[in-house]
Amino acid sequence: MAIDPKNIELQRYDDGTPSVLRKATVYKDLHFYRKSEVLVQLTKAFCERFLPKYGDRTVDQMVQAARSIKQNIAEGCTDGQTSVEVEIKLLGIARGSNQELMEDYRDYMLQHHIKEWATANVERFDRLREFAKAHSDVGEYMPFFERWTDEEMANCALCLCHMVDRAMCSFIARRDREFVEQGGIRERMTAARLDRRGTQKEIIERQQEEIERLRGLVASLQRELAAIRGGGK
């Protein structure tokens, strides 16, 4: 089904000129981005406290996976102003990194005989989930990084990973629907050009109408002037 350019919502500059750019997403305001920032700092603290400082590649893998979530969300939302396709692709990479990080935490928990609260301690998991839902800023978690046990930190990380994944899935779904309904940059460029032509046509038509009105006014004044001159003879 062809996309009707008239159905594409365009941003405009102050002078009314249509823009091909989509409305910018302020990614730092997104809860799942802010929670991804928490994951980066939490993972660094976890690795420093509970994993060997040397000879274990898991540390680099976990930290890089956490950073990849955050960085790809930021880059994807920024690039999304010009390309929905690139935004969806980068958010997909962020989801993959999120899944990788979850698996690393689960591997650690399996090796150290730590249970996932989501199934083994539902009451405690519910309290953790409520805390994570209400808090998205890294500063609210930092005081716990030196006090929590590896069990508490790992379960918190898994909880945050699940929340980030669900939120990203919803965000990607909205972008996917938008792309299907309104297309990408090419369709926006076409819509902007047609809108600009339509605006220019309307301006020309209004100018022509004004010219005709002024012509009529001039003709009327000329008739009145002629009548005045004729009456003075």
Side-chain angles (χ1 to χ4, degrees), residues 18-59:
S19 171
V20 301
L21 301 178
R22 293 167 60 245
K23 184 177 180 180
T25 298
V26 183
Y27 63 85
K28 289 187 177 181
D29 291 343
L30 297 171
H31 288 297
F32 63 85
Y33 172 80
R34 289 159 60 194
K35 282 179 168 55
S36 75
E37 288 186 303
V38 177
L39 277 170
V40 172
Q41 300 306 320
L42 186 152
T43 299
K44 287 180 178 179
F46 178 87
C47 291
E48 186 174 334
R49 289 184 60 197
F50 302 113
L51 290 177
K53 291 185 174 16
Y54 305 102
D56 190 344
R57 292 187 58 201
T58 304
V59 174

Side-chain angles (χ1 to χ4, degrees), residues 59-91:
V59 174
D60 287 339
Q61 290 173 353
M62 290 182 70
V63 172
Q64 288 305 316
R67 286 192 73 256
S68 176
I69 302 167
K70 182 175 82 74
Q71 298 302 108
N72 279 292
I73 292 171
E75 186 178 353
C77 290
T78 301
D79 290 349
Q81 251 199 304
T82 56
S83 175
V84 182
E85 302 97 315
V86 172
E87 182 178 23
I88 290 174
K89 177 181 178 181
L90 290 173
L91 289 174

Side-chain angles (χ1 to χ4, degrees), residues 5-7 15 30 46 51 81 93 98 100 107 111 113 138 144 185 187 207 219 232:
K6 295 180 181 178
N7 294 331
D15 63 357
L30 297 171
F46 178 87
L51 290 177
Q81 251 199 304
I93 293 173
N98 190 63
E100 179 184 347
D107 287 344
Q111 293 167 7
H113 309 290
V138 66
F144 300 105
I185 188 66
E187 289 80 6
Q207 289 174 338

